[in-house]
Amino acid sequence: MSITIYHNPACGTSRKTLEAIRASGVEPLIVDYIKQPPSRDALKAMITEAGIGVRQALRNKGELYETLGLADTTLSDEALLDAMMAHPILIERPFVVSNKGVRLCRPSELVREIL
């Protein structure tokens, strides 16, 4: 099985998800999405395949979210994607991609659905 985790080592949920993947016997491809963010098309595809909306894929904690005014519900999906592309820290984490699907693993237990 092939698994990719879009990981932030500073995030506890991301670390727990990585541990769960490894506990299943698989060593995933680990992408530090802060340093190597997915392309816009790849991010849009992950969001769609995970069955969530763009706003759900947007990290809504932290000063940057507030500073950029991203709580504004009139912002389009394209505007939110623009913000995530300009500031990858705004991408909620961790996204996990496997042969069985894509999940935004918040909570980390959601990874079990695609292992």
Side-chain angles (χ1 to χ4, degrees):
M1 175 179 284
S2 171
I3 297 178
T4 301
I5 179 171
Y6 289 85
H7 180 59
N8 180 343
C11 172
T13 301
S14 195
R15 289 191 308 269
K16 285 174 70 173
T17 303
L18 178 57
E19 288 173 19
I21 294 167
R22 287 178 168 156
S24 77
V26 176
E27 182 58 34
L29 172 63
I30 301 169
V31 177
D32 181 335
Y33 73 93
I34 303 298
K35 295 177 182 173
Q36 294 179 300
S39 69
R40 184 186 192 94
D41 288 342
L43 180 59
K44 285 173 75 171
M46 287 190 299
I47 291 168
T48 299
E49 290 177 39
I52 62 175
V54 173
R55 188 163 287 282
Q56 288 173 280
L58 176 68
R59 183 163 173 77
N60 61 10
K61 295 180 180 143
E63 186 177 322
L64 186 58
Y65 177 84
E66 297 298 326
T67 300
L68 296 177
L70 297 173
D72 180 352
T73 58
T74 65
L75 291 172
S76 69
D77 286 352
E78 293 304 313
L80 298 177
L81 285 165
D82 288 344
M84 287 187 270
M85 291 293 91
H87 308 280
I89 193 69
L90 291 170
I91 300 171
E92 189 62 273
R93 69 238 183 195
F95 270 97
V96 178
V97 179
S98 83
N99 300 349
K100 295 183 179 181
V102 178
R103 294 290 180 278
L104 173 56
C105 295
R106 295 193 76 78
S108 61
E109 293 79 18
L110 289 176
V111 75
R112 294 183 191 136
E113 296 175 3
I114 57 170
L115 292 179

mmCIF file of all heavy atoms in Angstrom, residues 8 10 21 24 33 36 39 45 52-53 63 71 78 86 88 92 94-95 97 99-101 105 107 110-112:
data_model
loop_
_atom_site.group_PDB
_atom_site.id
_atom_site.type_symbol
_atom_site.label_atom_id
_atom_site.label_comp_id
_atom_site.label_asym_id
_atom_site.label_seq_id
_atom_site.Cartn_x
_atom_site.Cartn_y
_atom_site.Cartn_z
ATOM 1 N N ASN A 8 3.053 18.145 9.277
ATOM 2 C CA ASN A 8 3.730 19.236 9.957
ATOM 3 C C ASN A 8 4.248 18.657 11.262
ATOM 4 O O ASN A 8 3.455 18.357 12.167
ATOM 5 C CB ASN A 8 2.782 20.399 10.221
ATOM 6 C CG ASN A 8 3.465 21.557 10.927
ATOM 7 O OD1 ASN A 8 4.529 21.428 11.498
ATOM 8 N ND2 ASN A 8 2.823 22.717 10.890
ATOM 9 N N ALA A 10 5.457 19.870 13.777
ATOM 10 C CA ALA A 10 5.144 20.670 14.959
ATOM 11 C C ALA A 10 3.718 20.437 15.456
ATOM 12 O O ALA A 10 3.355 20.909 16.531
ATOM 13 C CB ALA A 10 5.347 22.152 14.656
ATOM 14 N N ILE A 21 -0.184 5.445 11.130
ATOM 15 C CA ILE A 21 0.172 4.873 9.828
ATOM 16 C C ILE A 21 1.313 3.875 10.012
ATOM 17 O O ILE A 21 1.248 2.739 9.522
ATOM 18 C CB ILE A 21 0.560 5.974 8.819
ATOM 19 C CG1 ILE A 21 -0.638 6.862 8.497
ATOM 20 C CG2 ILE A 21 1.135 5.346 7.548
ATOM 21 C CD1 ILE A 21 -0.281 8.152 7.757
ATOM 22 N N SER A 24 0.441 0.602 11.476
ATOM 23 C CA SER A 24 -0.259 -0.312 10.560
ATOM 24 C C SER A 24 0.729 -1.124 9.722
ATOM 25 O O SER A 24 0.317 -1.987 8.948
ATOM 26 C CB SER A 24 -1.206 0.464 9.649
ATOM 27 O OG SER A 24 -0.490 1.118 8.614
ATOM 28 N N TYR A 33 4.563 19.794 4.218
ATOM 29 C CA TYR A 33 3.815 20.664 3.305
ATOM 30 C C TYR A 33 4.126 22.146 3.498
ATOM 31 O O TYR A 33 3.782 22.964 2.637
ATOM 32 C CB TYR A 33 2.308 20.408 3.404
ATOM 33 C CG TYR A 33 1.704 20.939 4.672
ATOM 34 C CD1 TYR A 33 1.153 22.206 4.715
ATOM 35 C CD2 TYR A 33 1.715 20.188 5.837
ATOM 36 C CE1 TYR A 33 0.623 22.709 5.885
ATOM 37 C CE2 TYR A 33 1.185 20.675 6.999
ATOM 38 C CZ TYR A 33 0.647 21.939 7.020
ATOM 39 O OH TYR A 33 0.134 22.440 8.182
ATOM 40 N N GLN A 36 7.249 22.032 1.196
ATOM 41 C CA GLN A 36 6.890 21.537 -0.136
ATOM 42 C C GLN A 36 5.369 21.428 -0.240
ATOM 43 O O GLN A 36 4.811 20.339 -0.186
ATOM 44 C CB GLN A 36 7.495 20.155 -0.374
ATOM 45 C CG GLN A 36 8.994 20.135 -0.444
ATOM 46 C CD GLN A 36 9.469 18.717 -0.667
ATOM 47 O OE1 GLN A 36 9.214 17.833 0.132
ATOM 48 N NE2 GLN A 36 10.154 18.508 -1.770
ATOM 49 N N SER A 39 0.632 21.360 -5.122
ATOM 50 C CA SER A 39 0.202 22.348 -6.113
ATOM 51 C C SER A 39 -1.264 22.695 -5.845
ATOM 52 O O SER A 39 -1.977 21.968 -5.139
ATOM 53 C CB SER A 39 0.345 21.775 -7.524
ATOM 54 O OG SER A 39 -0.612 20.743 -7.726
ATOM 55 N N ALA A 45 -7.760 18.676 -5.586
ATOM 56 C CA ALA A 45 -8.118 17.269 -5.757
ATOM 57 C C ALA A 45 -8.220 16.567 -4.410
ATOM 58 O O ALA A 45 -9.162 15.782 -4.182
ATOM 59 C CB ALA A 45 -7.110 16.567 -6.661
ATOM 60 N N ILE A 52 -14.723 17.108 1.482
ATOM 61 C CA ILE A 52 -14.892 18.286 2.327
ATOM 62 C C ILE A 52 -14.887 19.534 1.461
ATOM 63 O O ILE A 52 -14.569 19.478 0.285
ATOM 64 C CB ILE A 52 -13.789 18.372 3.413
ATOM 65 C CG1 ILE A 52 -12.402 18.511 2.777
ATOM 66 C CG2 ILE A 52 -13.856 17.162 4.344
ATOM 67 C CD1 ILE A 52 -11.272 18.726 3.774
ATOM 68 N N GLY A 53 -15.223 20.644 2.070
ATOM 69 C CA GLY A 53 -15.176 21.916 1.366
ATOM 70 C C GLY A 53 -13.840 22.603 1.574
ATOM 71 O O GLY A 53 -13.075 22.255 2.475
ATOM 72 N N GLU A 63 -2.723 33.709 14.160
ATOM 73 C CA GLU A 63 -2.761 35.139 13.848
ATOM 74 C C GLU A 63 -2.933 35.408 12.356
ATOM 75 O O GLU A 63 -3.635 36.337 11.963
ATOM 76 C CB GLU A 63 -1.474 35.781 14.361
ATOM 77 C CG GLU A 63 -1.450 37.270 14.233
ATOM 78 C CD GLU A 63 -0.186 37.868 14.827
ATOM 79 O OE1 GLU A 63 0.288 37.384 15.863
ATOM 80 O OE2 GLU A 63 0.313 38.828 14.218
ATOM 81 N N ALA A 71 -11.918 34.739 8.066
ATOM 82 C CA ALA A 71 -13.187 34.353 8.674
ATOM 83 C C ALA A 71 -14.372 34.901 7.882
ATOM 84 O O ALA A 71 -15.516 34.471 8.074
ATOM 85 C CB ALA A 71 -13.257 34.830 10.121
ATOM 86 N N GLU A 78 -11.929 30.120 -4.300
ATOM 87 C CA GLU A 78 -10.703 30.501 -5.001
ATOM 88 C C GLU A 78 -9.857 31.453 -4.150
ATOM 89 O O GLU A 78 -8.628 31.335 -4.115
ATOM 90 C CB GLU A 78 -11.020 31.113 -6.367
ATOM 91 C CG GLU A 78 -11.620 30.116 -7.350
ATOM 92 C CD GLU A 78 -10.764 28.880 -7.578
ATOM 93 O OE1 GLU A 78 -9.539 29.017 -7.803
ATOM 94 O OE2 GLU A 78 -11.306 27.757 -7.523
ATOM 95 N N ALA A 86 -0.403 30.929 -0.969
ATOM 96 C CA ALA A 86 0.542 31.962 -0.558
ATOM 97 C C ALA A 86 1.139 31.669 0.818
ATOM 98 O O ALA A 86 2.283 32.040 1.086
ATOM 99 C CB ALA A 86 -0.145 33.329 -0.550
ATOM 100 N N PRO A 88 1.240 28.293 3.037
ATOM 101 C CA PRO A 88 0.900 26.882 3.245
ATOM 102 C C PRO A 88 0.553 26.517 4.686
ATOM 103 O O PRO A 88 -0.170 25.536 4.915
ATOM 104 C CB PRO A 88 2.155 26.133 2.782
ATOM 105 C CG PRO A 88 2.830 27.065 1.845
ATOM 106 C CD PRO A 88 2.520 28.448 2.335
ATOM 107 N N GLU A 92 -4.989 23.039 6.492
ATOM 108 C CA GLU A 92 -5.247 22.203 7.668
ATOM 109 C C GLU A 92 -4.496 20.899 7.511
ATOM 110 O O GLU A 92 -4.289 20.418 6.402
ATOM 111 C CB GLU A 92 -6.757 21.966 7.819
ATOM 112 C CG GLU A 92 -7.155 21.305 9.109
ATOM 113 C CD GLU A 92 -6.804 22.108 10.358
ATOM 114 O OE1 GLU A 92 -5.669 21.976 10.860
ATOM 115 O OE2 GLU A 92 -7.676 22.854 10.830
ATOM 116 N N PRO A 94 -3.392 16.853 9.252
ATOM 117 C CA PRO A 94 -2.675 16.325 8.097
ATOM 118 C C PRO A 94 -3.623 15.744 7.061
ATOM 119 O O PRO A 94 -4.610 15.094 7.394
ATOM 120 C CB PRO A 94 -1.822 15.205 8.700
ATOM 121 C CG PRO A 94 -2.703 14.649 9.786
ATOM 122 C CD PRO A 94 -3.463 15.838 10.331
ATOM 123 N N PHE A 95 -3.331 15.977 5.810
ATOM 124 C CA PHE A 95 -3.997 15.256 4.735
ATOM 125 C C PHE A 95 -3.233 13.958 4.537
ATOM 126 O O PHE A 95 -2.001 13.949 4.557
ATOM 127 C CB PHE A 95 -3.976 16.048 3.417
ATOM 128 C CG PHE A 95 -5.157 16.946 3.228
ATOM 129 C CD1 PHE A 95 -5.087 18.290 3.546
ATOM 130 C CD2 PHE A 95 -6.352 16.445 2.719
ATOM 131 C CE1 PHE A 95 -6.178 19.122 3.367
ATOM 132 C CE2 PHE A 95 -7.444 17.266 2.536
ATOM 133 C CZ PHE A 95 -7.369 18.602 2.867
ATOM 134 N N VAL A 97 -3.132 10.571 1.907
ATOM 135 C CA VAL A 97 -3.565 10.003 0.627
ATOM 136 C C VAL A 97 -3.100 8.558 0.586
ATOM 137 O O VAL A 97 -1.920 8.272 0.797
ATOM 138 C CB VAL A 97 -2.936 10.785 -0.553
ATOM 139 C CG1 VAL A 97 -3.358 10.182 -1.884
ATOM 140 C CG2 VAL A 97 -3.287 12.265 -0.478
ATOM 141 N N ASN A 99 -4.175 4.372 -1.236
ATOM 142 C CA ASN A 99 -4.880 3.676 -2.310
ATOM 143 C C ASN A 99 -6.377 3.586 -2.018
ATOM 144 O O ASN A 99 -7.170 3.369 -2.924
ATOM 145 C CB ASN A 99 -4.326 2.262 -2.482
ATOM 146 C CG ASN A 99 -2.858 2.248 -2.823
ATOM 147 O OD1 ASN A 99 -2.263 3.279 -3.134
ATOM 148 N ND2 ASN A 99 -2.252 1.075 -2.768
ATOM 149 N N LYS A 100 -6.745 3.749 -0.754
ATOM 150 C CA LYS A 100 -8.145 3.628 -0.341
ATOM 151 C C LYS A 100 -8.862 4.965 -0.224
ATOM 152 O O LYS A 100 -10.029 5.000 0.168
ATOM 153 C CB LYS A 100 -8.227 2.873 0.982
ATOM 154 C CG LYS A 100 -7.756 1.441 0.881
ATOM 155 C CD LYS A 100 -7.921 0.733 2.205
ATOM 156 C CE LYS A 100 -7.484 -0.715 2.100
ATOM 157 N NZ LYS A 100 -7.667 -1.408 3.390
ATOM 158 N N GLY A 101 -8.189 6.062 -0.519
ATOM 159 C CA GLY A 101 -8.857 7.353 -0.460
ATOM 160 C C GLY A 101 -8.000 8.436 0.153
ATOM 161 O O GLY A 101 -6.810 8.254 0.405
ATOM 162 N N CYS A 105 -7.176 14.197 8.354
ATOM 163 C CA CYS A 105 -7.210 13.384 9.571
ATOM 164 C C CYS A 105 -7.245 14.224 10.836
ATOM 165 O O CYS A 105 -6.328 14.230 11.647
ATOM 166 C CB CYS A 105 -6.038 12.407 9.565
ATOM 167 S SG CYS A 105 -6.165 11.215 8.227
ATOM 168 N N PRO A 107 -10.139 14.324 13.616
ATOM 169 C CA PRO A 107 -9.095 13.798 14.484
ATOM 170 C C PRO A 107 -8.239 12.743 13.778
ATOM 171 O O PRO A 107 -8.613 12.208 12.737
ATOM 172 C CB PRO A 107 -9.873 13.188 15.657
ATOM 173 C CG PRO A 107 -11.164 12.761 15.048
ATOM 174 C CD PRO A 107 -11.456 13.788 13.975
ATOM 175 N N LEU A 110 -9.268 9.282 12.015
ATOM 176 C CA LEU A 110 -9.862 9.169 10.676
ATOM 177 C C LEU A 110 -8.941 8.447 9.699
ATOM 178 O O LEU A 110 -9.398 7.911 8.699
ATOM 179 C CB LEU A 110 -10.214 10.556 10.129
ATOM 180 C CG LEU A 110 -11.390 11.250 10.787
ATOM 181 C CD1 LEU A 110 -11.580 12.646 10.229
ATOM 182 C CD2 LEU A 110 -12.664 10.446 10.641
ATOM 183 N N VAL A 111 -7.644 8.409 10.014
ATOM 184 C CA VAL A 111 -6.712 7.729 9.114
ATOM 185 C C VAL A 111 -7.047 6.245 8.996
ATOM 186 O O VAL A 111 -6.796 5.627 7.955
ATOM 187 C CB VAL A 111 -5.248 7.949 9.549
ATOM 188 C CG1 VAL A 111 -4.880 7.116 10.777
ATOM 189 C CG2 VAL A 111 -4.307 7.661 8.390
ATOM 190 N N ARG A 112 -7.647 5.666 10.019
ATOM 191 C CA ARG A 112 -7.987 4.232 9.979
ATOM 192 C C ARG A 112 -8.911 3.881 8.825
ATOM 193 O O ARG A 112 -8.881 2.760 8.329
ATOM 194 C CB ARG A 112 -8.630 3.822 11.305
ATOM 195 C CG ARG A 112 -7.683 3.896 12.472
ATOM 196 C CD ARG A 112 -8.343 3.399 13.744
ATOM 197 N NE ARG A 112 -7.493 3.720 14.876
ATOM 198 C CZ ARG A 112 -7.937 4.220 16.012
ATOM 199 N NH1 ARG A 112 -9.225 4.458 16.191
ATOM 200 N NH2 ARG A 112 -7.101 4.481 16.992
#
